[in-house]
Amino acid sequence: MLLSLVTGVFFFTWVVTGLSLSVSLMILIIGIPVLLLFLGSVRVLSLVEGRIIEALLGVRMPRRPMYTDRSQGWLARIGAMFTDVRTWLTMLYFVLMLPLGVVYFSIATTLLSTSLALVFAPLADVALDQPVNLWINDVNMGDGVWLWPLAVAAGLVLLFATLHLARAIGRLHGAIAKHLLVRL
């Protein structure tokens, strides 16, 4: 979940920069090769993302992209790359990776830091003289040693719930990736 923020920023930047550069250079002759290189790089990056998803999430992704018929000429294969739905769905997936990465990162850091803070709150009380207090609507509902087991128990429950949520999010993200990067 934490890696998805880094890859999301990279993929989003790659697609937005590549498309804007390719479209803006189309008025010049150099725009066509730049567009072809960009579309080829999107296909290569989709294979790299497939390997990352396969390694981290355990979702089976294909090893090689399905190309068009090799008996066709190179112009026909380039035209097939433009009309292939997977090329455009891959770019959609790359654009979606930024907001999804931000959401995944926010969920992971918030829940993990809260659960670990609750688990180690008694240690902070003893070692650092930072008391464990329960505040509800700016009212101190309780403090002291009796709150320590409740804080640790709540932290452990939240930690395991966070891990289960991370697994569910991983499965969901794997399904999204398989749908947008592989299947039509």
Side-chain angles (χ1 to χ4, degrees):
M1 287 176 58
L2 302 178
L3 180 66
S4 64
L5 179 65
V6 175
T7 58
V9 168
F10 174 75
F11 289 144
F12 180 85
T13 305
W14 189 263
V15 169
V16 169
T17 304
L19 275 179
S20 62
L21 186 66
S22 299
V23 169
S24 64
L25 289 176
M26 286 301 266
I27 59 172
L28 303 172
I29 193 70
I30 194 155
I32 295 170
V34 169
L35 179 63
L36 294 177
L37 285 173
F38 167 68
L39 290 179
S41 70
V42 166
R43 286 178 163 257
V44 170
L45 286 175
S46 73
L47 289 175
V48 170
E49 177 68 5
R51 295 295 71 74
I52 291 171
I53 286 175
E54 192 172 86
L56 296 179
L57 300 179
V59 176
R60 179 78 172 107
M61 303 292 271
R63 296 279 175 210
R64 295 182 188 187
M66 292 194 266
Y67 292 108
T68 59
D69 186 14
R70 295 284 184 183
S71 64
Q72 294 178 339
W74 62 276
L75 283 175
R77 284 188 273 170
I78 289 173
M81 187 169 59
F82 280 101
T83 59
D84 189 9
V85 176
R86 279 175 293 159
T87 303
W88 305 105
L89 286 178
T90 299
M91 283 193 269
L92 174 66
Y93 173 79
F94 286 169
V95 168
L96 284 176
M97 279 295 293
L98 180 66
L100 288 176
V102 169
V103 169
Y104 298 161
F105 182 81
S106 300
I107 288 172
T109 55
T110 302
L111 292 178
L112 283 175
S113 63
T114 302
S115 64
L116 292 176
L118 287 171
V119 168
F120 293 111
L123 182 64
D125 193 359
V126 171
L128 303 173
D129 196 30
Q130 296 293 322
V132 177
N133 294 328
L134 177 63
W135 291 83
I136 298 176
N137 291 333
D138 294 331
V139 176
N140 188 2
M141 302 303 282
D143 57 0
V145 177
W146 70 272
L147 196 56
W148 290 1
L150 294 176
V152 171
L156 288 175
V157 167
L158 184 61
L159 179 64
F160 287 115
T162 301
L163 294 176
H164 284 290
L165 179 65
R167 182 190 301 186
I169 288 174
R171 286 183 182 155
L172 176 69
H173 186 80
I176 291 170
K178 190 160 193 135
H179 182 72
L180 291 178
L181 294 177
V182 179
R183 295 184 183 150
L184 297 177

